[in-house]
Amino acid sequence: MPAKVGFVKIITVSSAGVFNIGDVFSMTPHATSKTFAGGGSFNTGNGIRIHLDKAETYINDKEVIDQSLNE
């Protein structure tokens, strides 16, 4: 169903983001990433207490390409 759209101001669109105005059947953004993090890295909230005496994160990644993006 067509619609009238007024002024649009785009500040930023990430490399894996999609911005669309209008009718669309399918949108498929593609992106990959790899994250290494140690214990207690992704905790969020109020009043969190984390006690890590000797925490270490070892990374042994011999792969050059993990997943290809077929576009």
Side-chain angles (χ1 to χ4, degrees), residues 4-46:
K4 292 183 180 181
V5 178
F7 293 102
V8 176
K9 181 178 181 181
I10 302 171
I11 302 299
T12 184
V13 177
S14 68
S15 62
V18 174
F19 177 78
N20 179 63
I21 295 178
D23 298 335
V24 173
F25 174 73
S26 175
M27 291 188 289
T28 57
H30 295 278
T32 60
S33 65
K34 183 184 290 189
T35 303
F36 299 107
S41 296
F42 299 111
N43 294 322
T44 58
N46 296 327

Side-chain angles (χ1 to χ4, degrees), residues 46-70:
N46 296 327
I48 294 176
R49 294 183 185 185
I50 301 169
H51 301 285
L52 301 172
D53 291 333
K54 294 182 180 181
E56 296 181 9
T57 302
Y58 296 102
I59 301 166
N60 186 10
D61 187 17
K62 297 179 182 178
E63 300 170 343
V64 177
I65 298 174
D66 291 325
Q67 180 178 358
S68 63
L69 291 175
N70 298 326

